[in-house]
């Protein structure tokens, strides 16, 4: 269900190597000490003795650098202790874990589908990222308070008046209450409908070709938290109907709806049959731009850490443990259990130990999946353009996974999709399945764009 595509180089990273940063700091300290000493001696008119020359020009800067080094080490140790307390203790692994199959608790990724501004599939989006074409642009319709175009990631598939009329007619025919979707919600529902129809239709054809009975299907939409309960119920009911309309002839369970990918995907592992997880959101509209501008969180030249409006939908067709062990073409990749941790974010954009929390969470995830950090071929994250998440991601990769090339092996989905809820993370999982198959190696997928939360999982190729 997924065609391997050779990986192409990604945009170059601009992370400054640590030794250059340390050299600049040392040079700054020496220049400041020497300059201050020269100014003081000239102002006082005194001639310094040889001991004074040695003390001020050599001893003072060395002492300052040594004090700074010891202080940084002490602060790092204190921060590590505090952050370690925030992480739940790793459960002890039974002695037989080494002999257990590594994918025993994995889910099978049976198929993926995307509706992204730069691609309608994982293959298309990966090609756009490799060609450096996956990035937001100035929007022709949306402007900020100063009348300038807004940086936006708009999806061309989000507007479908015929589908909108079909949904309204279906709701009326089945006595569904009026959902009163906004324009942005209609765009998100349109994108989600395309993902559900594609996944259900492709899977129905595959099951029919194998002459297997179709298992039960659960539809799990992941929608923005600001949707009302009535809007979520109406969207879920329609998406369940869209799956049946696409050709799924097996039983389709009552459509669920949620906002949390960890809860939803974990539930998919316990559900019988298969689960269709679809995340959808749209912030491409005048209402969102006006609200973000009033809250001073909209990306502008004066607010470079602001949010860029984005939209999209991403879907995964997931199977349980029985399908995860299949090697007959049913699974395209294996998804390890998602692990998450909540952290206290600093009020500013500087690091305060959150990179160590991420490192600890990744270490536990790899250990539970039976994989090593040196075997990871890529990192795919929901990280966008904001400096704190980017720095955290790139520093972690540079210090822990040195085999990775920052320009070819690290993909930041949020930098191309804009702000659209959990869609970038589910998109990262879909891209992870594609890259794992293309490179025949594990791919680390993580979320660090949402303040206060880190999610990590591992996508592995099918043996």
């Amino acid at each position: 269900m997924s065609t391997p595509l050779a990986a192409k180089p990604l945009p170059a990273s601009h992370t400054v190597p640590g030794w250059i940063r340390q050299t600049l700091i040392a040079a700054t300290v020496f220049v400041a000490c020497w300059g201050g000493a020269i100014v003081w001696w000239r102002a006082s008119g005194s001639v310094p003795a040889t001991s004074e020359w040695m003390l001020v020009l050599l001893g003072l800067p060395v002492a300052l650098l040594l004090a700074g080094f010891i202080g940084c080490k002490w602060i790092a140790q204190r921060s590590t202790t505090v952050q370690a307390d925030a992480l739940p203790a790793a459960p002890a692994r039974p002695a037989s874990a080494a002999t257990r199959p590594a994918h025993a608790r994995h889910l099978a990724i049976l198929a993926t589908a995307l509706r992204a501004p730069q691609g309608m599939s994982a293959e298309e989006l990966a090609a756009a990222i490799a060609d450096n074409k996956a990035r937001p642009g100035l929007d022709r319709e949306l402007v900020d308070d100063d009348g300038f175009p807004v940086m936006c990631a708009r999806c061309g598939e989000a507007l479908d008046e015929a589908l909108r009329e079909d949904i309204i007619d279906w709701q009326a025919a089945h006595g569904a209450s009026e959902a009163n979707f906004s324009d942005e919600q209609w765009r998100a529902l349109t994108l989600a409908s395309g993902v559900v129809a594609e996944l259900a239709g492709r899977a129905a054809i595959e099951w029919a070709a194998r002459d297997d009975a179709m298992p039960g299907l659960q539809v799990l939409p992941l929608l923005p938290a600001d949707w009302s309960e009535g809007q979520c119920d109406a969207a879920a009911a329609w998406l369940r109907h869209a799956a049946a309309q696409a050709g799924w002839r097996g039983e389709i369970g009552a459509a669920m709806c949620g906002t949390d990918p960890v809860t939803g995907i974990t539930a998919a592992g316990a559900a019988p049959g298969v689960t269709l997880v679809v995340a959808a959101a749209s912030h491409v509209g005048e209402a969102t731009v006006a609200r973000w501008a009033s809250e001073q969180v909209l990306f502008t030249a004066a607010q470079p850490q602001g949010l860029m409006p984005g939209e999209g939908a991403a879907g995964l067709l997931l199977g349980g443990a029985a399908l995860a062990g299949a090697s007959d073409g049913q699974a395209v990749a294996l998804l390890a259990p998602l692990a998450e941790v909540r952290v206290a974010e600093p009020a500013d954009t500087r690091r305060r130990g959150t990179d160590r929390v991420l490192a600890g969470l990744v270490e536990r995830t790899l250990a539970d999946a039976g994989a090593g950090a040196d075997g990871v071929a890529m990192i795919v994250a929901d990280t966008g353009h904001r400096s704190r998440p980017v720095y955290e991601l790139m520093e972690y990769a540079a210090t822990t996974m040195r085999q990775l090339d920052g320009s070819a092996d690290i993909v930041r989905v949020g930098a191309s999709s804009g702000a659209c809820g959990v869609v970038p993370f589910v998109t990262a999982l879909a891209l992870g399945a594609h890259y794992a198959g293309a490179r025949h190696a594990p791919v680390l997928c993580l979320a660090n764009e949402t303040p206060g939360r880190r999610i990590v999982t591992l996508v592995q190729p099918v043996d």
Side-chain angles (χ1 to χ4, degrees):
M1 296 183 187
S2 176
T3 304
L5 183 70
K8 299 181 181 180
L10 302 177
S13 168
H14 302 289
T15 304
V16 178
W19 69 270
I20 295 180
R21 185 167 60 251
Q22 294 167 3
T23 302
L24 290 176
I25 292 175
T28 301
V29 171
F30 272 92
V31 169
C33 290
W34 292 355
I38 292 173
V39 170
W40 182 75
W41 284 328
R42 294 189 63 179
S44 63
S46 61
V47 179
T50 303
S51 60
E52 291 179 322
W53 278 102
M54 297 297 293
L55 178 64
V56 176
L57 298 186
L58 183 61
L60 179 60
V62 171
L64 290 176
L65 289 174
L66 183 60
F69 175 78
I70 296 174
C72 289
K73 286 293 184 182
W74 180 81
I75 292 174
Q77 290 176 354
R78 288 291 302 270
S79 178
T80 301
T81 302
V82 172
Q83 295 297 343
D85 293 338
L87 282 168
R93 301 185 70 197
S96 61
T99 61
R100 192 173 56 225
H103 56 256
R105 295 185 296 119
H106 286 41
L107 285 171
I109 300 179
L110 306 178
T112 66
L114 297 180
R115 294 294 183 273
Q118 298 87 16
M120 297 297 105
S121 67
E123 291 81 5
E124 287 186 17
L125 180 57
I129 292 173
D131 293 338
N132 198 24
K133 296 179 179 179
R135 54 182 180 270
L138 294 175
D139 197 78
R140 297 182 179 181
E141 301 180 22
L142 301 178
V143 296
D144 59 20
D145 291 341
D146 297 323
F148 294 109
V150 170
M151 290 293 292
C152 175
R154 181 186 292 270
C155 185
E157 302 291 320
L159 187 60
D160 190 333
E161 293 296 339
L163 178 61
R164 181 170 176 173
E165 293 178 3
D166 288 343
I167 296 174
I168 294 174
D169 293 342
W170 181 84
Q171 289 178 330
H174 290 77
S177 59
E178 180 61 38
N180 293 322
F181 292 123
S182 67
D183 287 340
E184 294 172 26
Q185 290 172 331
W186 275 115
R187 296 178 68 89
L189 185 56
T190 299
L191 295 172
S193 300
V195 167
V196 169
E198 179 181 339
L199 285 177
R202 286 165 52 193
I205 294 174
E206 293 250 353
W207 252 281
R210 290 197 300 264
D211 198 23
D212 291 342
M214 291 187 187
L217 176 68
Q218 296 286 334
V219 178
L220 175 59
L222 299 176
L223 302 173
D226 59 357
W227 287 39
S228 69
E229 183 178 355
Q231 290 168 337
C232 289
D233 291 342
W238 163 256
L239 294 175
R240 177 174 177 267
H241 171 71
Q245 209 174 30
W248 190 268
R249 296 294 175 258
E251 179 184 357
I252 301 180
M256 303 176 290
C257 194
T259 60
D260 182 13
V262 176
T263 302
I265 293 177
T266 301
V274 296
T275 302
L276 197 163
V277 178
V278 55
S282 175
H283 295 306
V284 177
E286 295 179 357
T288 293
V289 170
R291 183 174 72 255
W292 287 0
S294 66
E295 297 171 355
Q296 297 184 342
V297 296
L298 179 68
F299 176 87
T300 61
Q303 185 71 30
Q305 299 299 312
L307 302 175
M308 297 182 187
E311 63 185 358
L316 306 171
L317 192 66
L318 301 175
L323 290 175
S327 58
D328 59 354
Q330 293 186 74
V332 298
L334 306 177
L335 177 65
L338 274 63
E340 69 169 325
V341 67
R342 305 281 180 167
V343 295
E345 295 287 350
D348 56 20
T349 58
R350 292 174 294 178
R351 295 182 301 116
R352 298 197 185 275
T354 54
D355 58 322
R356 300 180 190 91
V357 174
L358 180 63
L361 190 61
V362 172
E363 182 179 357
R364 282 183 11 221
T365 300
L366 293 175
D368 290 341
D374 55 351
V376 173
M378 292 188 71
I379 295 178
V380 186
D382 72 342
T383 312
H385 70 282
R386 297 183 299 134
S387 59
R388 181 201 56 77
V390 172
Y391 191 92
E392 178 186 35
L393 172 67
M394 301 306 291
E395 183 179 41
Y396 166 75
T399 57
T400 308
M401 296 188 176
R402 299 183 179 180
Q403 77 275 15
L404 300 184
D405 187 318
S407 64
D409 301 328
I410 300 177
V411 174
R412 295 187 290 115
V413 176
S416 63
S417 67
C420 48
V422 301
V423 175
F425 177 62
V426 181
T427 301
L429 297 180
L431 280 174
H434 162 72
Y435 287 125
R439 299 200 175 192
H440 304 288
V443 173
L444 185 69
C445 297
L446 60 88
N448 74 332
E449 184 67 17
T450 301
R453 189 181 196 189
R454 305 292 182 271
I455 305 173
V456 175
T457 187
L458 191 70
V459 179
Q460 296 175 285
V462 179
D463 295 334

